Amino acid sequence: MVTRLNQTDIDFEARFAALLSGKREVSEDVDQTVRAILEDVRARGDAAVIDYTAKFDRLAVASMAELVVTPQEIADAVNRVPKEVCDALQLAHDRIAAHHARQLPKDDRYTDPIGVELGSRWTSVESVGLYVPGGTASYPSSVLMNAVPANVAGVKRIVMVVPSPDGVLNPQVLAAASIAGITEIYKIGGAQAVAALAYGTAAIAPVAKIVGPGNAFVAAAKRRVFGTVGIDMIAGPSEVLVVADGENDPNWIAADLLAQAEHDTNAQSILITDDPGFGEAVAEAVERQLTRLPREQVARASWTGFGAIITVEDLEGAMPLVNRIAAEHLELAVAEPEKLLDKVLNAGAVFLGRHTPEAIGDYVGGSNHVLPTARSARFSSGLSVLDFVKRTSVLKCTPETLRALGPAAIALGEAEGLSGHARSVSIRLNL
Amino acid sequence: MVTRLNQTDIDFEARFAALLSGKREVSEDVDQTVRAILEDVRARGDAAVIDYTAKFDRLAVASMAELVVTPQEIADAVNRVPKEVCDALQLAHDRIAAHHARQLPKDDRYTDPIGVELGSRWTSVESVGLYVPGGTASYPSSVLMNAVPANVAGVKRIVMVVPSPDGVLNPQVLAAASIAGITEIYKIGGAQAVAALAYGTAAIAPVAKIVGPGNAFVAAAKRRVFGTVGIDMIAGPSEVLVVADGENDPNWIAADLLAQAEHDTNAQSILITDDPGFGEAVAEAVERQLTRLPREQVARASWTGFGAIITVEDLEGAMPLVNRIAAEHLELAVAEPEKLLDKVLNAGAVFLGRHTPEAIGDYVGGSNHVLPTARSARFSSGLSVLDFVKRTSVLKCTPETLRALGPAAIALGEAEGLSGHARSVSIRLNL
């Protein structure tokens, strides 16, 4: 039985608050293991990477050269992927590239009214490491979602690491890498791969930033190397919030809720509707569809564990609830979604209308599918070109403008007890 | 004696690499203490905050109401600050506001060639906590540098916390808060203040993001609550890199190096010059000025511990070194700074020409003085309006565009083993 809440219930606020604060993820305590691996790779370099790859991936090699994915391996992989899938990846690539090209920030140089030159100057991150998980969570679409914004930003070097347990690589992932133009790829994973990217080894030059999803070891390693390199967000389990009126086909909405639930037993699918009968129809449709879903077990655990159907008086009035949930994915399945959109303050991505299932955004919409989870849309954004550039501010005074601004700077330097600050100004003004 | 490096020395690369990788900060291990404080505040709320404030700030109160800074206290503080300083703060405020107003990102909604509607929609973070340290590191300029971008971004609620050891508050900090329009201020600090902002208490509603500098306890607390709320960067000790030819007045450049060194014994000031004689003249000028500096002891420890004078063949050829240092502050004290600026890839802020001492940027230039330290300019930017907004992507398909994109999404969903994803599309296409 899925959780049901009704806004008119006396205990609604308490139950809604509990839904918001419920922990969906048990964080494994792998920090000490990860710390040791990082230190070892920092000290012993490639030799340590080779040792851990033999141990964790059951892939024994004599040298790092054997862990390099060759152009021939990439070409072979592309040939093994069905043309239909390659074409779909190419379409996704092109649409992601087109959308993200609009995100490139522009330099801004100007002279203010008193003659001071100011500016913001954007430059790309010089090198980026892209972590790709091995095994079942190895998604070609995620390769594109991480690599394409980096390409658009002008990142010169993208290094991909992907573990190959028992020597097996996912050919789809290599096909996606090929489409994204990635040529430097290593068959390594786990904390050892993160360490190699952050600190560098004899074989692998260090990068400035590491992005991409990974398991608990990878996440802990990224947290630890943060500062030495930049990292992207640490993503939690995925979630969808569907706001739907009674005019929808319950089967469509049930399919959307299950598309999220099938990701992970910790995923969360929530429906908010103003039609109690529709809510029940969706609940029934979910049950019917579950039995036909290949990933039934995962989806059922997610739906019964974390799913919810919330009945509200009216959808517009429910938007404060939507903003408190701050969902990674928000579907507005109503006739006039723009009216509701105007009231959305917190959401990773919004899917408008009855014909925009969230899965379109996962693959071929063009927007990014790396989005803030666990209510972090209250303060953060999905992955974008901005994650692969940085801004340098520029300031230029003339003798005249320094004379105009100098006295205020001197006053503040002295007021803060920083006479040396004041002195670096006054010495230029012969004060 | 300050460290001297010459690019023509045989061991230059090794010594330069050592300079880059040298740790300037000993990180105090306060994490267990902080963890306990966070848990206690989460559990006991205001009572815990009151207890820790009595213990750490020697400020005993009976209720949170006594820890609220009143409008009268703010007005009294403003009256105690010299008019010259208030005027300088107002000038700084207005210039910071004008510069940051240019950083506001614009929404982008468009329809692509096949008819899919896409967009990026920016909204402000709803509420922000601003941490202000007590004691000597309590800077009014930092209040403005953190609060003004939040105001420009449209943040509705800014909550300031500032410890008042023994009940003493810095009136300049309250004056800056007043100028920035901050009205909700609590006399609390440390990990307990961070916890109150992140989790909320009966007296203090929680915020979505916490910014501002603090000591080791505050930094550890911010790291721990990250995820529950957003945080800004964790700043390390400050640094300046001055690139100067022999045409500069050695006294001016020495003053700039000392303005940085006086911040902190762990601060770092580096000079790169193509004129060995000029380098020595600066070294001598530093020694002369040090004896007259009120914060001589701090500045001397920083200069002898972490300062460096690097002699290079030519300045343009030295720009790769500049980019490897990736300094928080970079002065280009040459006749044609724009030529060098073109080659700057990594820097927090650049100060152009001989008449732009870095201290102007600390106070009244208009750009932000919260900048990436410890080489993190390789992958991150200074504080800006972008830190107080977040982007939501928007996607809208029609039945026709879903028919166009759907098959590719279905192919990728099936290829990734996510049939539920594929099903949420195919069900709408009667496939």
Side-chain angles (χ1 to χ4, degrees):
Chain A
M1 283 285 284
V2 71
T3 299
R4 287 174 173 80
L5 279 74
N6 192 315
Q7 213 178 0
T8 58
D9 291 345
I10 309 179
D11 61 350
F12 176 78
E13 174 55 32
R15 292 186 65 207
F16 184 76
L19 186 73
L20 283 189
S21 61
K23 276 256 177 276
R24 281 155 41 215
E25 210 176 7
V26 182
S27 50
E28 284 179 71
D29 191 9
V30 299
D31 204 45
Q32 290 313 309
T33 309
V34 164
R35 180 183 187 157
I37 294 172
L38 295 182
E39 281 171 11
D40 195 19
V41 172
R42 191 168 203 173
R44 294 199 298 130
D46 291 326
V49 174
I50 288 170
D51 287 352
Y52 290 115
T53 301
K55 181 176 173 184
F56 295 124
D57 298 336
R58 300 165 302 281
L59 179 63
V61 297
S63 77
M64 282 298 287
E66 297 175 57
L67 294 175
V68 173
V69 175
T70 63
Q72 187 59 50
E73 282 179 287
I74 297 174
D76 289 349
V78 171
N79 286 331
R80 284 169 56 202
V81 175
K83 181 170 184 307
E84 182 196 33
V85 175
C86 277
D87 289 348
L89 286 172
Q90 186 67 54
L91 175 70
H93 172 275
D94 297 348
R95 290 188 57 84
I96 298 165
H99 178 69
H100 286 72
R102 303 176 70 102
Q103 295 174 344
L104 261 175
K106 287 186 183 61
D107 287 356
D108 180 32
R109 285 290 294 274
Y110 66 100
T111 303
D112 77 5
I114 68 164
V116 179
E117 287 180 48
L118 294 109
S120 294
R121 195 169 160 273
W122 293 91
T123 46
S124 51
V125 174
E126 290 184 82
S127 53
V128 167
L130 166 52
Y131 192 94
V132 179
T136 53
S138 185
Y139 297 134
S141 59
S142 293
V143 173
L144 298 180
M145 292 292 179
N146 281 278
V148 175
N151 279 332
V152 170
V155 173
K156 288 208 185 69
R157 176 175 168 244
I158 301 179
V159 189
M160 186 168 122
V161 293
V162 53
S164 70
D166 302 305
V168 178
L169 278 178
N170 178 344
Q172 296 174 4
V173 158
L174 293 188
S178 171
I179 287 170
I182 302 175
T183 54
E184 185 178 352
I185 309 177
Y186 302 95
K187 297 177 205 172
I188 59 175
Q192 60 273 22
V194 174
L197 291 171
Y199 306 133
T201 68
I204 304 175
V207 300
K209 183 161 185 169
I210 300 174
V211 301
N215 63 16
F217 290 87
V218 173
K222 281 167 68 179
R223 276 188 198 273
R224 279 208 165 260
V225 299
F226 176 55
T228 300
V229 296
I231 62 169
D232 58 353
M233 68 191 98
I234 309 272
S238 202
E239 70 225 4
V240 72
L241 169 59
V242 180
V243 175
D245 59 26
E247 302 302 308
N248 287 280
D249 183 332
N251 289 304
W252 294 14
I253 301 302
D256 296 353
L257 295 169
L258 287 175
Q260 203 61 36
E262 76 172 345
H263 260 294
D264 186 341
T265 54
N266 294 323
Q268 184 167 48
S269 303
I270 300 176
L271 169 65
I272 291 185
T273 183
D274 56 356
D275 181 336
F278 176 76
E280 288 314 308
V282 170
E284 286 164 26
V286 164
E287 292 304 324
R288 277 197 308 274
Q289 291 183 28
L290 262 173
T291 59
R292 296 191 308 243
L293 200 65
R295 293 172 64 85
E296 174 185 356
Q297 219 171 350
V298 170
R300 191 180 291 282
S302 158
W303 179 242
T304 55
F306 304 107
I309 296 176
I310 303 176
T311 307
V312 298
E313 293 285 284
D314 72 295
L315 295 182
E316 219 168 309
M319 294 311 285
L321 301 180
V322 168
N323 288 322
R324 285 171 68 188
I325 293 172
E328 181 191 13
H329 306 107
L330 171 63
E331 288 188 12
L332 299 177
V334 296
E336 294 182 78
E338 298 280 351
K339 271 175 72 175
L340 295 184
L341 179 64
D342 285 343
K343 305 205 166 173
V344 173
L345 301 178
N346 303 320
V350 185
F351 304 86
L352 299 180
R354 310 193 197 282
H355 301 277
T356 317
E358 185 272 318
I360 286 292
D362 283 339
Y363 295 123
V364 291
S367 50
N368 210 291
H369 80 198
V370 181
L371 295 166
T373 58
R375 304 188 66 218
S376 61
R378 291 172 300 128
F379 52 79
S380 63
S381 311
L383 198 71
S384 78
V385 170
L386 291 176
D387 291 290
F388 299 99
V389 294
K390 61 266 190 304
R391 189 179 36 78
T392 299
S393 61
V394 176
L395 196 60
K396 185 177 185 183
C397 289
T398 57
E400 296 70 36
T401 54
L402 185 64
R403 198 163 299 280
L405 292 181
I410 293 168
L412 290 173
E414 294 292 357
E416 292 188 349
L418 298 171
S419 302
H421 282 59
R423 174 95 180 126
S424 71
V425 178
S426 63
I427 197 171
R428 285 173 164 86
L429 299 176
N430 293 314
L431 295 177
Chain B
M1 286 283 287
V2 71
T3 299
R4 286 174 174 82
L5 278 72
N6 192 315
Q7 212 179 0
T8 58
D9 291 345
I10 310 179
D11 61 349
F12 175 78
E13 174 54 32
R15 293 185 65 206
F16 183 76
L19 185 74
L20 283 189
S21 61
K23 275 254 178 279
R24 285 165 27 224
E25 210 176 5
V26 182
S27 50
E28 284 178 73
D29 192 9
V30 299
D31 203 45
Q32 289 315 309
T33 309
V34 164
R35 181 182 185 158
I37 294 172
L38 295 182
E39 281 172 10
D40 195 20
V41 172
R42 192 168 202 172
R44 293 198 299 129
D46 291 326
V49 174
I50 288 170
D51 287 351
Y52 290 115
T53 301
K55 180 176 174 186
F56 295 123
D57 297 338
R58 299 165 302 280
L59 179 63
V61 297
S63 78
M64 283 298 287
E66 296 176 56
L67 294 175
V68 173
V69 176
T70 63
Q72 188 59 50
E73 282 178 286
I74 296 174
D76 289 348
V78 171
N79 286 331
R80 284 168 57 202
V81 175
K83 181 171 184 309
E84 184 197 32
V85 174
C86 278
D87 289 348
L89 286 172
Q90 187 66 54
L91 176 70
H93 172 276
D94 296 349
R95 291 188 57 85
I96 298 164
H99 179 70
H100 286 72
R102 303 177 69 103
Q103 296 173 345
L104 262 174
K106 288 186 182 59
D107 287 356
D108 180 32
R109 286 290 295 274
Y110 64 101
T111 304
D112 77 5
I114 67 164
V116 180
E117 286 181 48
L118 294 109
S120 294
R121 193 169 162 274
W122 294 92
T123 47
S124 50
V125 175
E126 289 184 84
S127 54
V128 167
L130 166 53
Y131 192 95
V132 179
T136 53
S138 184
Y139 297 133
S141 59
S142 293
V143 173
L144 297 180
M145 292 292 178
N146 281 279
V148 175
N151 279 333
V152 170
V155 173
K156 289 208 184 68
R157 174 175 169 244
I158 301 180
V159 189
M160 186 168 122
V161 293
V162 53
S164 71
D166 303 305
V168 178
L169 277 178
N170 179 345
Q172 295 173 6
V173 158
L174 293 188
S178 171
I179 287 170
I182 302 174
T183 55
E184 184 178 353
I185 309 177
Y186 302 95
K187 297 178 205 173
I188 60 175
Q192 60 274 21
V194 174
L197 291 171
Y199 306 132
T201 68
I204 304 176
V207 299
K209 182 162 184 168
I210 300 175
V211 300
N215 63 17
F217 290 87
V218 173
K222 281 168 66 180
R223 277 186 198 275
R224 279 207 165 261
V225 298
F226 176 55
T228 301
V229 295
I231 62 168
D232 58 353
M233 68 192 99
I234 308 272
S238 200
E239 68 225 5
V240 72
L241 169 59
V242 181
V243 175
D245 60 25
E247 303 301 307
N248 286 280
D249 183 332
N251 289 304
W252 293 15
I253 301 303
D256 296 354
L257 296 169
L258 288 175
Q260 204 61 35
E262 76 172 346
H263 260 294
D264 185 341
T265 54
N266 294 323
Q268 183 167 50
S269 303
I270 299 177
L271 169 65
I272 290 184
T273 183
D274 57 355
D275 182 335
F278 176 75
E280 289 314 307
V282 170
E284 286 163 27
V286 165
E287 291 305 323
R288 278 196 308 274
Q289 291 183 28
L290 263 173
T291 60
R292 296 190 309 243
L293 201 65
R295 293 172 64 85
E296 174 185 356
Q297 219 171 350
V298 170
R300 190 181 291 281
S302 158
W303 179 242
T304 56
F306 303 107
I309 296 176
I310 303 176
T311 307
V312 297
E313 294 283 285
D314 74 295
L315 296 181
E316 220 168 310
M319 294 310 287
L321 301 180
V322 168
N323 288 323
R324 284 171 68 188
I325 294 172
E328 181 189 15
H329 306 108
L330 171 63
E331 287 188 13
L332 300 175
V334 296
E336 294 181 79
E338 299 279 353
K339 272 175 70 175
L340 295 185
L341 179 64
D342 284 344
K343 306 204 165 174
V344 173
L345 300 178
N346 303 321
V350 185
F351 304 86
L352 298 180
R354 309 191 197 284
H355 301 277
T356 318
E358 185 271 318
I360 287 291
D362 283 339
Y363 296 122
V364 290
S367 49
N368 210 290
H369 80 197
V370 182
L371 295 166
T373 58
R375 305 188 64 219
S376 61
R378 291 173 300 129
F379 53 79
S380 63
S381 311
L383 197 72
S384 78
V385 169
L386 292 176
D387 292 291
F388 299 99
V389 293
K390 60 264 188 312
R391 189 179 38 77
T392 299
S393 61
V394 176
L395 195 61
K396 185 177 185 183
C397 289
T398 58
E400 295 70 36
T401 53
L402 184 64
R403 196 163 301 279
L405 291 181
I410 293 168
L412 291 173
E414 294 291 358
E416 292 188 350
L418 297 172
S419 302
H421 282 58
R423 175 93 181 127
S424 72
V425 177
S426 63
I427 197 172
R428 286 173 164 87
L429 299 176
N430 294 314
L431 294 179

